[in-house]
Amino acid sequence: MDIAQNISMATPKAWGRVRRSRYLADRALKIICALFTLIGAFVLGWILLMLIVEGISGFSPALFTQTTPGPGTQGGGIANALVGSLILTFLGIIVATPVGVLAGTYLAEYGKGSKLAELIRFLNDILLAAPSILIGLFVYTLMVQPMGSYSGWAGGVALAIIAVPVIVRTTEDMLRLVPGSLREAGAALGAPMSTVIMQVSWRAARAGMVTGVLLATARIAGETAPLLFTALNNNFWFKANLMGGVSNLPVMIYQFALAPYQNWRELAWAGALIITISILALSVVARLIVKKDHVR
């Protein structure tokens, strides 16, 4: 207590030795930072409030049971868009997870400081920051044109390419946090490196790795640009082979929000609110998993 009191008593004296111009500059910077923080929070709160007010007005039982309406028709829902988005997101994450986890494992466990690992990290960083519309154009050239049709498969591949760098980065960072002594203990028992990675490193970092997968899922759940070039959209249920346009929430919101029909705009607001709630839920789950792992 005496030490704490001495420190607290010495603080004003320390500030007294600082030149007044520096003290004023410090206070000014604090005020500016607080002001811009309030501005950012106000804008974000305004957007969320508008989304909630406009989105709730479009909620009804038909929203989750009926398909999207045609031009000029009344009523309708977004059931086909919801299911289509779930399928496309599932396809994307089921492809991206093994690729991202194994690539991140190589960078953290095998590559480390090698030239190849440095090149992969550089390319991963570029892919992480690449505009999603470029990925959509790439998949369009790679799959849609040769197949002669839009498809859910192309949409899933586009979303997977967006999710992979997120999972790679998270997996590598989590594995690097695993103490080397755990690996040494496994090696001392005579276990090969592959067994040590699967039974020791992955188990120790699994909470962070699962968090990376959830964050990647949240990242691709609301992507619109790549789906415009791959899965596109329609007002019906998708085919079993996923060929042709596959209805999905992001593209539906984009198209309906620009339409002159009032019921279409209401459905667009409701769909935007559903996506926002879903992404918020995934983010909260990811934080809870990390927090629970830290408590352990």
Side-chain angles (χ1 to χ4, degrees):
M1 292 294 295
D2 294 339
I3 296 175
Q5 291 177 355
N6 292 334
I7 293 176
S8 62
M9 293 175 61
T11 302
K13 295 181 180 179
W15 272 111
R17 294 195 298 268
V18 176
R19 285 185 295 182
R20 183 171 180 80
S21 59
R22 294 186 177 182
Y23 176 77
L24 293 176
D26 178 79
R27 294 298 298 271
L29 182 60
K30 287 181 179 179
I31 294 173
I32 292 173
C33 291
L35 177 62
F36 279 96
T37 300
L38 291 175
I39 292 174
F42 172 74
V43 173
L44 179 60
W46 191 359
I47 294 173
L48 291 176
L49 180 61
M50 181 185 299
L51 180 62
I52 292 172
V53 172
E54 296 288 347
I56 289 179
S57 63
F59 270 62
S60 66
L63 186 71
F64 302 98
T65 58
Q66 298 182 12
T67 59
T68 49
T73 59
Q74 297 299 318
I78 58 173
N80 55 329
L82 281 171
V83 177
S85 286
L86 289 174
I87 290 177
L88 292 176
T89 303
F90 175 78
L91 285 176
I93 210 66
I94 205 69
V95 172
T97 298
V99 176
V101 168
L102 293 177
T105 300
Y106 171 79
L107 294 177
E109 301 289 344
Y110 291 100
K112 295 185 179 179
S114 67
K115 296 294 184 181
L116 178 60
E118 292 296 330
L119 176 62
I120 294 174
R121 290 190 188 95
F122 176 72
L123 295 176
N124 190 73
D125 290 340
I126 294 177
L127 192 60
L128 193 63
S132 58
I133 192 170
L134 295 182
I135 296 174
L137 286 170
F138 170 74
V139 178
Y140 176 84
T141 305
L142 185 69
M143 295 184 65
V144 176
Q145 281 188 334
M147 297 170 68
S149 173
Y150 296 100
S151 68
W153 303 111
V157 170
L159 296 181
I161 295 175
I162 297 174
V164 162
V166 179
I167 299 176
V168 170
R169 173 64 66 81
T170 307
T171 300
E172 181 186 6
D173 291 343
M174 292 301 102
L175 289 176
R176 285 180 175 273
L177 295 177
V178 177
S181 57
L182 294 179
R183 299 182 180 88
E184 294 171 359
L189 295 174
M193 189 171 183
S194 59
T195 303
V196 172
I197 292 173
M198 290 187 291
Q199 299 296 327
V200 178
S201 299
W202 281 0
R203 287 191 175 186
R206 62 184 174 185
M209 293 166 64
V210 171
T211 300
V213 174
L214 292 177
L215 293 176
T217 304
R219 169 76 170 81
I220 65 177
E223 284 291 342
T224 305
L227 297 181
L228 283 171
F229 294 94
T230 54
L232 200 59
N233 193 25
N234 62 42
N235 293 331
F236 313 100
W237 292 102
F238 55 87
K239 297 178 182 179
N241 58 7
L242 297 183
M243 297 302 295
V246 176
S247 182
N248 56 89
L249 276 178
V251 178
M252 184 276 294
I253 293 170
Y254 169 75
Q255 293 178 343
F256 280 25
L258 301 177
Y261 310 111
Q262 179 63 26
N263 65 320
W264 279 27
R265 291 196 294 269
E266 291 177 356
L267 292 176
W269 279 110
L273 180 58
I274 290 173
I275 286 184
T276 304
I277 293 174
S278 301
I279 294 176
L280 176 62
L282 287 173
S283 300
V284 170
V285 171
R287 288 182 176 273
L288 290 176
I289 291 175
V290 173
K291 184 177 180 181
K292 184 178 180 181
D293 185 61
H294 286 171
V295 171
R296 290 180 180 179

